[in-house]
Amino acid sequence: MSTTDKIKIRNAGEPDIAAMFALLTAFARELGEPTHFHSSEEAMRKYGFGESPLFCAALAERESSALGLCVYFSEFSTWRGKPGVYIQDIYVHPEQRKDGLGRRLLEHALHDANACWGAQYLRLAVHTHNESAIRFYQSLGMSLDAENHIMVLDPETTMSIVAGEK
C-alpha cells in the first residue's frame, strides 16, 4: 500500500478552519513571507463559510491529520467566454510531496468547480522564485499565460482613490 492510499481529499468545512489556517501559515513561512500573511481564522470563517462564501477549499488528510490544502474560487474569462476556477493557494506538507497529492488537490478543485459553476479551465499564479512549483505545474501541462504581471491595489491605496485623494 502506497503512502497516499489512506489520504482522502474532501471539501473543507467550518470545523476545518484551524487546520486550514495552520497549513496557510506553514505555506507563508516556507515561501519566506510570514510577515505578508495577514489572514485570520475569523476572516476565513466569515468569507469562506459565512452567508455568502467567497471561496471553496479542499483538504487532504490522513486519519484526521491535515496534509494539504487547496483554496479556490470562481472566475470568468471574457476572452475564453467560459467560467473557470482560480487556485488562490495550494500547499502540501513537504514530506508528502512527490506522491501526487498536489495533483489530486488540483483535480478535486477543478472537478468541484466544474460541478458547482461549470468551470472549464484552471488558473493560478506562482511565485517566480518557487522553481520547484513551476516545474510541477509544467509537468501537469500548465503553461505561462500572456498575463505576466499581477497588479494589486492595497487597502491604503484603495482608500485614497475612494476618498478622491492623491
Side-chain angles (χ1 to χ4, degrees), residues 5-158:
D5 287 344
K6 293 184 178 183
I7 297 175
K8 304 292 182 214
I9 310 272
R10 63 174 177 79
N11 289 341
E14 190 169 355
D16 300 310
I17 290 172
M20 293 168 57
F21 189 77
L23 289 166
L24 290 169
T25 301
F27 186 31
R29 276 194 310 267
E30 185 173 314
L31 289 174
E33 300 188 18
T35 59
H36 291 109
F37 182 63
H38 301 290
S39 191
S40 66
E41 290 185 27
E42 293 77 25
M44 293 174 69
R45 182 173 291 103
K46 177 180 179 179
Y47 296 113
F49 303 99
E51 188 174 312
S52 298
L54 298 176
F55 67 85
C56 301
L59 197 61
E61 64 184 1
R62 180 188 301 121
E63 299 172 4
S64 301
S65 178
L67 305 173
L69 174 70
C70 183
V71 177
Y72 53 98
F73 50 85
S74 67
E75 73 167 31
F76 183 81
S77 170
T78 55
W79 288 51
R80 289 180 179 93
K82 297 177 182 177
V85 59
Y86 186 85
I87 306 299
Q88 179 64 39
D89 296 299
I90 181 167
Y91 178 74
V92 174
H93 272 295
E95 59 273 4
Q96 297 302 315
R97 295 179 189 160
K98 307 281 188 215
D99 289 334
L101 193 50
R103 173 190 287 265
R104 288 179 57 197
L105 282 163
L106 290 172
E107 287 172 348
H108 179 95
L110 184 55
H111 286 116
D112 186 50
N114 180 267
C116 292
W117 61 83
Q120 300 296 305
Y121 66 92
L122 181 147
R123 258 185 63 184
L124 56 80
V126 62
H127 289 255
T128 55
H129 65 276
N130 194 344
E131 293 177 18
S132 64
I134 293 169
R135 284 191 303 274
F136 166 68
Y137 297 129
Q138 289 174 331
S139 78
L140 299 177
M142 297 178 85
S143 60
L144 295 173
D145 66 15
E147 300 172 18
N148 56 9
H149 296 292
I150 296 175
M151 306 299 289
V152 177
L153 189 61
D154 67 30
E156 294 81 22
T157 307
T158 304

Side-chain angles (χ1 to χ4, degrees), residues 153-166:
L153 189 61
D154 67 30
E156 294 81 22
T157 307
T158 304
M159 297 313 292
S160 297
I161 289 172
V162 172
E165 301 169 8
K166 293 186 181 189

